[in-house]
Amino acid sequence: MLIIFYVLLLVNIGRCSDHQIFDTKTVAVGQNVTLNCSRDHLWHLTNLFWIRLVSQTFPEILGSTISHNVEIIEKINHITTKQEPGAFVLHMNRAQLNDTAVYYCIKVTERKMTFLKGTFLRIKGPETGISSVAQDFLSDLLHQGDPVTLQCSVLSNSENKTCTEAHSVYWYRAKPDDTHASLIYAHGTSGYNCEQSPEAPSQQKCVYSFSKNISSSDTGVYYCAVATCGEIFFGNGTKLDVEGRFFFQ
Ligand SMILES: *[C@@H]1O[C@H](CO)[C@@H](O)[C@H](O)[C@H]1NC(C)=O
Ligand SMILES: *[C@@H]1O[C@H](CO)[C@@H](O)[C@H](O)[C@H]1NC(C)=O
Ligand SMILES: *[C@@H]1O[C@H](CO)[C@@H](O)[C@H](O)[C@H]1NC(C)=O
Ligand SMILES: *[C@@H]1O[C@H](CO)[C@@H](O)[C@H](O)[C@H]1NC(C)=O
Ligand SMILES: *[C@@H]1O[C@H](CO)[C@@H](O)[C@H](O)[C@H]1NC(C)=O
Ligand SMILES: *[C@@H]1O[C@H](CO)[C@@H](O)[C@H](O)[C@H]1NC(C)=O
């Protein structure tokens, strides 16, 4: 009776078409990644491969094995492939940004090739926690010689923040007759003021200011930009209108 049961089970496995899975995984840079592909040691004359595809280049073969249980470990840089019970596993030690790719596990039985598993793996950089960059709105018309202070407020939440780099703040000006903004000032590590929200301690607001005595040529839109951990955030800009610029041109 038991033998009949096993025979039926085998026949059933033999008939079963391969199960294909495609999934998406997002992982922070520096994390370890494990991709799992199912393997049956009863598969006949079968090889398994892990490959990855990055656009504009050839697929890269990361490792191979056979369906039977064997100790084959292949290692290319920080990627290792090996068998585990019921699986052919790809381990990535400390993922880098350029590991973002589509990974496929392929089964090759004689002349038949099947994609068993596909994973779009996205490696994301450190979380900056920045939620918004706001600038003031100045409604008054300014006069030559007036002192003006522009402020750039950066709101951030430290809850899921993984970026430890300080903010670099830049000021750009776009003149009315110019389509390109040019850099006018880069903050050092001073000249700002950060405070935590009393009701939500993970919320922080940092105000970066830039002061200037206005001259006739200062009309334009002033943008602040905050760069940190490979990302850049722009404010919406503050428009400065200097009266009398036409007389001084
Ligand atoms: C990643 O794996 C390596 C070796 O397998 C281990 O030493 C390291 O602690 C792991 N790192 C993380 C972030 O889990
Ligand atoms: C991979 O999948 C097999 C079969 O589903 C399972 O036994 C194994 O625990 C999995 N391994 C990992 C690392 O997820
Ligand atoms: C991926 O980036 C790392 C550094 O972040 C570099 O060492 C490695 O050569 C890069 N790999 C490829 C394939 O460009
Ligand atoms: C900036 O401009 C965008 C689009 O015009 C708008 O959706 C957003 O609310 C503005 N942000 C601030 C802080 O004013
Ligand atoms: C932090 O991550 C948790 C879990 O992913 C999420 O629920 C929460 O909204 C995140 N908080 C912020 C401020 O993004
Ligand atoms: C603006 O002018 C005042 C008076 O001339 C001077 O003390 C101040 O340093 C100037 N500010 C800037 C930002 O140049």
Side-chain angles (χ1 to χ4, degrees), residues 39 41 46-47 64-73 81-85 87-88:
R39 175 184 63 89
H41 69 278
T46 296
N47 297 310
S64 60
T65 194
I66 58 171
S67 53
H68 304 299
N69 297 337
V70 282
E71 275 279 310
I72 305 175
I73 297 175
T81 60
K82 63 172 190 192
Q83 290 193 354
E84 278 184 14
F88 177 41

Side-chain angles (χ1 to χ4, degrees), residues 34-39 84-89 91:
T34 299
L35 302 179
N36 201 350
C37 178
S38 62
R39 175 184 63 89
E84 278 184 14
F88 177 41
V89 170
H91 283 293

Side-chain angles (χ1 to χ4, degrees), residues 132-135 236:
S132 81
V133 174
Q135 290 187 247
N236 275 3

